[in-house]
């Protein structure tokens, strides 16, 4: 994550928090980013380095019409500063900052077979108890791990899978030669 993206996300978080409109700002920015992702034309305009920032700003100004004033001003400022091409990353950083502030731990649970809702809830409860934080977990199936579980939280990875253990044993055996 680039420093500039974090700075913009922190500024928007602070401004929205001061005005008591964090939920609305978060939703409207997410809607804008979804529109950027779904429109190849808009995405191309915003990411084209040959188009001057003031041209991007003018194009956005017309498109943002009745948007929330804070979101509108934020997007226009980001465009003016030549960072609008990074809006998706800025929005992702905003989500991370909100989660951190709310003490939510976002993680991905990878298993060899689909976990039932009860099994997933049990794993999440154990992680919540151990971390003292609320957990928001997504689930993924990867049959190649054979069994066990891999927990990914940001750049931290806990590999308690059969494949992970086999790889570890292989490394230990080859290191002893």
């Amino acid at each position: 994550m680039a420093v500039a993206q974090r700075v913009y996300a922190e500024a928007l978080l602070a401004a929205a928090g001061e005005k008591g409109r964090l939920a609305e700002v978060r939703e409207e920015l997410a809607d804008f980013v979804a529109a950027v992702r779904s429109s190849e034309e808009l995405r191309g305009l915003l990411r084209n380095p040959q188009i001057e920032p003031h041209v991007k700003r003018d194009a956005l100004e017309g498109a943002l019409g009745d948007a929330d004033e804070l979101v509108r001003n934020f997007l226009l400022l980001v465009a003016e500063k030549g960072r609008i091409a990074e809006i998706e990353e800025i929005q992702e950083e905003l989500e991370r900052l909100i989660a951190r502030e709310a003490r939510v731990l976002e993680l991905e649970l990878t298993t060899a077979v689909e976990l039932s809702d009860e099994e997933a809830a049990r794993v999440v409860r154990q992680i919540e108890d151990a971390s003292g934080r609320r957990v928001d977990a997504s689930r993924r199936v990867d049959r190649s791990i054979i069994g066990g579980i891999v927990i990914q939280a940001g750049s931290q990875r806990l590999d308690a899978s059969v494949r992970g253990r086999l790889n570890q044993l292989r490394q230990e055996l080859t290191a002893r030669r």
Side-chain angles (χ1 to χ4, degrees):
M1 182 60 49
V3 172
Q5 295 162 358
R6 176 169 292 233
V7 168
Y8 282 103
E10 287 173 344
L12 183 58
L13 178 64
E18 283 175 16
K19 299 212 181 257
R21 296 199 338 253
L22 183 58
E24 296 89 346
V25 167
R26 179 184 193 187
E27 183 179 348
E28 196 155 326
L29 184 62
D31 290 347
F32 178 79
V33 167
V36 170
R37 286 183 176 140
S38 67
S39 170
E40 199 58 46
E41 190 175 290
L42 179 57
R43 188 175 204 176
L45 169 76
L46 299 181
R47 291 194 176 255
N48 187 338
Q50 294 176 335
I51 298 174
E52 294 291 326
H54 73 275
V55 174
K56 293 177 185 180
R57 184 186 191 289
D58 292 346
L60 277 175
E61 197 160 11
L64 292 171
D66 64 341
D68 178 274
E69 182 183 7
L70 188 55
V71 174
R72 184 179 197 293
N73 291 342
F74 175 76
L75 291 171
L76 293 175
L77 175 69
V78 171
E80 191 175 291
K81 297 294 185 182
R83 296 285 185 171
I84 197 66
E86 302 169 37
I87 195 61
E88 294 173 68
E89 294 82 3
I90 292 169
Q91 189 262 338
E92 290 169 6
E93 182 63 17
L94 177 68
E95 291 298 323
R96 277 193 286 279
L97 291 171
I98 291 169
R100 186 182 73 201
E101 198 170 272
R103 297 202 31 85
V104 174
L105 180 60
E106 293 182 11
L107 50 87
E108 181 180 67
L109 306 174
T110 303
T111 54
V113 295
E114 185 71 38
L115 291 177
S116 70
D117 290 341
E118 296 81 29
E119 292 169 324
R122 190 169 48 248
V123 170
V124 166
R125 262 193 315 278
Q126 290 174 341
I127 296 169
E128 286 175 337
D129 290 345
S131 68
R133 296 171 68 181
R134 191 172 71 75
V135 171
D136 183 14
S138 61
R139 297 185 279 189
R140 187 170 77 90
V141 173
D142 178 358
R143 300 199 188 295
S144 72
I145 68 169
I146 305 169
I149 190 167
V150 176
I151 301 170
Q152 182 86 32
S155 63
Q156 299 294 314
R157 179 180 176 97
L158 172 66
D159 189 343
S161 69
V162 173
R163 181 183 67 193
R165 183 66 183 137
L166 289 173
N167 286 341
Q168 185 181 12
L169 288 171
R170 183 180 314 115
Q171 287 175 352
E172 288 175 13
L173 289 172
T174 57
R176 292 181 184 205
R177 287 185 178 180

